[in-house]
Amino acid sequence: MIRERYINFLIGALLLIVPLVALQMDEPFIITLATKAAILALAGVGLNLALGQGGLVSFGHAAYFGIGGYAMGILASHAQDYAPLMEVPFVIEGTNLMPVIWLVAIVASALAALLIGALSLRTSGVYFIMVTLAFGQMFYYFAISWPAYGGEDGLSIYVRNQFPGVNTLDPIQFFGICFVVLMAVLFLVNRLNKSPFGLALNGAHQNEERALTVGINVYRLRLVAFVISGAITGLAGALFADLNRFVSPTMFSWHTSGEIMVFIILGGVARLFGPVAGAAVYILLEHMLGGISEYWQIYLGLILLFVVLFAKGGIVGGLARREVRHDG
Amino acid sequence: MPPSANSEQMTIHRRGRGLAGETIKGRAMSSILIIEQILNGLQFGVMLFLMAAGLTLIFGVMGLINLAHGSLYMVGAFAAAAVAGWTGSFLLALAASLAAAALFGALIELTVIRRLYARDHLDQVLATFALILIFSEATRWVFGSFPLFLNIPEALSGTLTLPGGIEYSRYRLTIILIGLAVAVGLFLLISKTRVGMRIRAGENDREMIGALGVDISILYTLVFALGAALAGLSGALVGAIQSVEVGMGEPVLILAFVVIVIGGIGSIKGALAGAILVGLTDTLGRTMLPWAFAAFMEPSAASSVGSSLASMLIYILMAGVLLFKPTGLFGSA
């Protein structure tokens, strides 16, 4: 465990140092890549709580990522058009303040996770995978066929939203926001994993019968974990939308769910910094392989296949050399 | 994120929407139209059955969740389009779709899938997700990004007048018949033949039939290739109505999952019932909901609310089944 702590520190430090060096070398594109990695890592940290810690293989986390994105898109588009979101029974204005947007994104995606989780957790195993995938897809089709906020074309926001005291249009300052949010969430998730709640969740993952026997309400425990997990991924969605200043149904697509899952397997399942390493490597691969070939996803597929078949444990697992069981 | 995947995910729903749009503009809801929509729903359901049957068989016998099943559907469609382009024969094209999908199915079973049987579902999902990436990009590399077209054969084009004066597409009727014939054939294969007996035995106890001297690894390859061939056939048949393009299998795959969740995993009967139910609900929902909302809303709002709701209908159906029977209509345990 001590060794893993050093590795975690190293991963976090690298993620911070790379954009700072890029700033010195005047390479804003690299800062944007690092920002993207930090945001996608946050989405992975959310999923890792359900998948790694709780053993809940959700293939529908794009739903929360997309809801977070649309929370930002809808609020900011109303602020940009000076049109209130709602007039009856009371007026709700749009906003371009990040903290407010984040709060709405977290609450909305938590509610969606509560609803989907309450239904999906009635099943387990392969059913759970298919059901979460299907519910995720439901949001995708809804976003496409609902014309009010751009439908299939998505929604552009012209100016990045504001954070008090920070110039969010400056790439390095926006990276700073995302990095701090990521570290804060990692800190909280680490506390959560070590709390009685996290231990019970992990226990129920390893042996459900035993957890039930000692009087743990496994369904409720998992539902709470699922909701927290969805809320974190939703927050990442709001940041991702702000990075691109654009939301579209792509955020809901099942490829997005698959990618979030890929970050975790690349980095190491149930490892605290696994998704951070995984997302960073994914962005790096996308950037490098994309330069070599238009068909870079073939190579991504082959690498993923190799990691799943022969290199279980991912990057953090390989470096820390200690097997963490999942879905036993 | 691959931007192309999304426009492709739409195709299957565009077909339904076109039909719905036509009704709102044109005539009022008539019984002929409803029968026509029921037949469309049946045709859609039968296609979903071909996909779901393979998936549920593979899950039942090998305990494997295969996301790459949609890629085999795509392989079948591309093989059919290519062969139809060279030879001009639709029958050869269908044969090619079966052969190509079975071949690729056997190939990935031998190289990748068989390493996954003993693994947990997470590994299966990720490895088959990787296979999707490889298949999709390789197909794009070979055939390019533009969709191919597979023409409906001359003998099956045009419409047929059904009893009651209903004009209906010959080709769609043929699809319904082929699908039902496959369902009967599959039922006979599994209940009457020796291979079927082994498949059923494999579903009950994998270790035991191995111990009794059945070569399980051949049986597994066979079952996987059979499921793949069904997916390929379905891809070729649908490919003639829609366009043949990369990523065409993914929306169908997810619908097949909904079918399996509704019908119950491992049950062919459940797959058939679930597929017909999903096919009818989706097709009728897309026609009826906008029309029903038009009764008390203005037409444009009714059309948008109705079609948004219709796109969610089968998932709501699935949620309903989960509430009352979490193991599916025909599922056990």
Side-chain angles (χ1 to χ4, degrees):
Chain A
M1 288 316 267
I2 292 173
R3 185 166 170 157
E4 186 173 338
R5 196 179 297 164
Y6 287 127
I7 295 167
N8 290 347
F9 182 77
L10 195 72
I11 293 169
L14 263 178
L15 183 62
L16 183 62
I17 290 168
V18 167
L20 287 178
V21 172
L23 182 69
Q24 293 304 313
M25 292 164 59
D26 200 23
E27 295 266 10
F29 182 63
I30 294 180
I31 301 178
T32 306
L33 283 184
T35 313
K36 197 173 166 190
I39 294 170
L40 293 179
L42 183 63
V45 170
L47 179 59
N48 205 15
L49 181 65
L51 190 152
Q53 213 61 30
L56 308 168
V57 185
S58 162
F59 209 136
H61 260 53
Y64 318 117
F65 195 64
I67 287 172
Y70 270 87
M72 173 278 184
I74 291 170
L75 288 172
S77 75
H78 281 284
Q80 152 177 311
D81 298 343
Y82 300 104
L85 201 63
M86 195 168 97
E87 281 173 281
V88 221
F90 41 84
V91 180
I92 297 181
E93 301 276 358
T95 176
N96 56 7
L97 271 179
M98 279 188 194
V100 181
I101 290 172
W102 294 350
L103 190 68
V104 174
I106 289 172
V107 171
S109 46
L111 279 177
L114 181 66
L115 199 67
I116 293 178
L119 281 166
S120 314
L121 285 168
R122 295 169 63 87
T123 67
S124 62
V126 72
Y127 267 108
F128 184 79
I129 300 174
M130 297 197 287
V131 170
T132 47
L133 175 58
F135 279 129
Q137 203 64 6
M138 176 174 92
F139 282 94
Y140 174 73
Y141 285 123
F142 184 76
I144 280 184
S145 58
W146 188 255
Y149 294 103
E152 214 177 327
D153 302 325
L155 200 61
S156 281
I157 303 300
Y158 303 111
V159 182
R160 188 167 284 154
N161 294 303
Q162 291 162 6
F163 193 93
V166 181
N167 175 13
T168 54
L169 283 169
D170 180 10
I172 195 74
Q173 295 195 34
F174 184 60
F175 169 80
I177 293 177
C178 298
F179 186 79
V180 169
V181 170
L182 174 65
M183 289 302 144
V185 170
L186 277 170
F187 175 75
L188 290 176
V189 167
N190 189 33
R191 292 294 296 268
L192 197 67
N193 286 345
K194 289 178 178 154
S195 71
F197 169 81
L199 295 176
L201 183 67
N202 201 2
H205 171 197
Q206 292 183 10
N207 192 332
E208 185 172 348
E209 283 80 14
R210 196 174 289 171
L212 284 167
T213 316
V214 296
I216 293 172
N217 185 339
V218 172
Y219 177 84
R220 206 169 63 196
L221 186 76
R222 286 184 174 154
L223 187 57
V224 172
F226 196 77
V227 168
I228 299 173
S229 159
I232 295 174
T233 306
L235 175 61
L239 286 171
F240 191 72
D242 235 331
L243 172 68
N244 299 327
R245 280 169 271 172
F246 176 66
V247 278
S248 76
T250 317
M251 286 183 77
F252 281 116
S253 94
W254 76 299
H255 270 270
T256 308
S257 295
E259 276 167 17
I260 300 175
M261 212 183 250
V262 168
F263 307 149
I264 295 178
I265 199 82
L266 282 182
V269 177
R271 303 283 187 173
L272 184 64
F273 272 65
V276 184
V281 168
Y282 184 89
I283 296 294
L284 208 64
L285 281 177
E286 184 180 29
H287 184 58
M288 284 178 1
L289 294 176
I292 299 171
S293 162
E294 191 188 335
Y295 307 104
W296 69 278
Q297 293 218 340
I298 291 188
Y299 303 106
L300 176 68
L302 289 173
I303 292 171
L304 178 59
L305 206 54
F306 177 81
V307 172
V308 174
L309 291 179
F310 305 111
K312 282 187 75 172
I315 300 163
V316 178
L319 292 173
R321 300 229 181 88
R322 199 166 144 270
E323 187 69 21
V324 173
R325 289 192 61 218
H326 62 266
D327 200 23
Chain B
M1 323 227 158
S4 54
N6 303 294
S7 57
E8 284 142 14
Q9 292 193 343
M10 286 291 297
T11 40
I12 198 155
H13 283 273
R14 247 179 223 144
R15 180 186 59 98
R17 196 180 293 162
L19 293 163
E22 192 180 296
T23 56
I24 293 174
K25 273 182 270 147
R27 46 217 159 136
M29 188 72 55
S30 67
S31 60
I32 289 185
L33 187 81
I34 291 177
I35 293 173
E36 219 173 81
Q37 291 302 324
I38 289 176
L39 284 171
N40 279 338
L42 265 181
Q43 180 258 311
F44 187 30
V46 151
M47 285 297 93
L48 285 177
F49 167 70
L50 290 185
M51 280 292 280
L55 270 177
T56 207
L57 205 60
I58 290 167
F59 184 81
V61 178
M62 287 96 98
L64 176 98
I65 173 167
N66 177 24
L67 295 183
H69 209 64
S71 298
L72 297 164
Y73 173 92
M74 176 185 74
V75 164
F78 270 92
V83 168
W86 294 330
T87 65
S89 159
F90 192 71
L91 268 183
L92 278 181
L94 284 190
S97 75
L98 282 167
L103 188 76
F104 274 98
L107 197 71
I108 59 172
E109 202 276 341
L110 290 170
T111 51
V112 177
I113 303 285
R114 82 176 18 185
R115 297 170 198 275
L116 297 171
Y117 296 141
R119 299 291 192 87
D120 56 48
H121 293 313
L122 177 62
D123 286 356
Q124 298 175 348
V125 162
L126 285 160
T128 51
F129 183 72
L131 284 177
I132 294 183
L133 296 179
I134 296 170
F135 265 106
S136 294
E137 290 294 295
T139 312
R140 205 192 306 279
W141 187 47
V142 174
F143 289 95
S145 298
F146 292 102
L148 300 182
F149 292 96
L150 180 62
N151 289 325
I152 295 174
E154 197 101 334
L156 295 175
S157 58
T159 59
L160 190 78
T161 311
L162 296 177
I166 301 160
E167 298 265 316
Y168 196 69
S169 153
R170 272 172 208 269
Y171 184 72
R172 284 179 191 263
L173 267 187
T174 314
I175 291 187
I176 297 178
L177 292 180
I178 292 178
L180 292 180
V182 169
V184 171
L186 209 56
F187 176 74
L188 289 177
L189 175 80
I190 287 174
S191 63
K192 303 286 183 208
T193 65
R194 183 159 281 269
V195 174
M197 201 167 78
R198 287 179 176 167
I199 291 176
R200 278 180 289 140
E203 282 177 337
N204 282 334
D205 195 328
R206 266 174 264 172
E207 283 81 23
M208 186 53 100
I209 65 158
L212 288 173
V214 174
D215 189 339
I216 320 190
S217 61
I218 291 185
L219 181 72
Y220 283 2
T221 311
L222 204 72
V223 170
F224 199 85
L226 175 69
L230 291 178
L233 175 68
S234 153
L237 288 171
V238 173
I241 312 181
Q242 299 164 7
S243 56
V244 175
E245 57 193 343
V246 174
M248 64 186 284
E250 294 166 10
V252 190
L253 175 82
I254 291 163
L255 289 178
F257 281 161
V258 174
V259 164
I260 292 176
V261 169
I262 290 176
I265 295 185
S267 160
I268 300 271
K269 212 190 293 174
L272 184 61
I276 303 284
L277 201 60
V278 167
L280 286 176
T281 308
D282 191 57
T283 311
L284 291 178
R286 276 167 210 284
T287 322
M288 312 273 256
L289 277 183
W291 171 76
F293 278 106
F296 53 88
M297 287 170 94
E298 51 183 312
S300 66
S303 157
S304 82
V305 173
S307 58
S308 308
L309 207 63
S311 69
M312 300 170 75
L313 206 57
I314 53 166
Y315 305 103
I316 297 170
L317 177 73
M318 180 182 83
V321 170
L322 282 177
L323 271 180
F324 296 105
K325 212 154 181 300
T327 51
L329 297 177
F330 290 82
S332 51

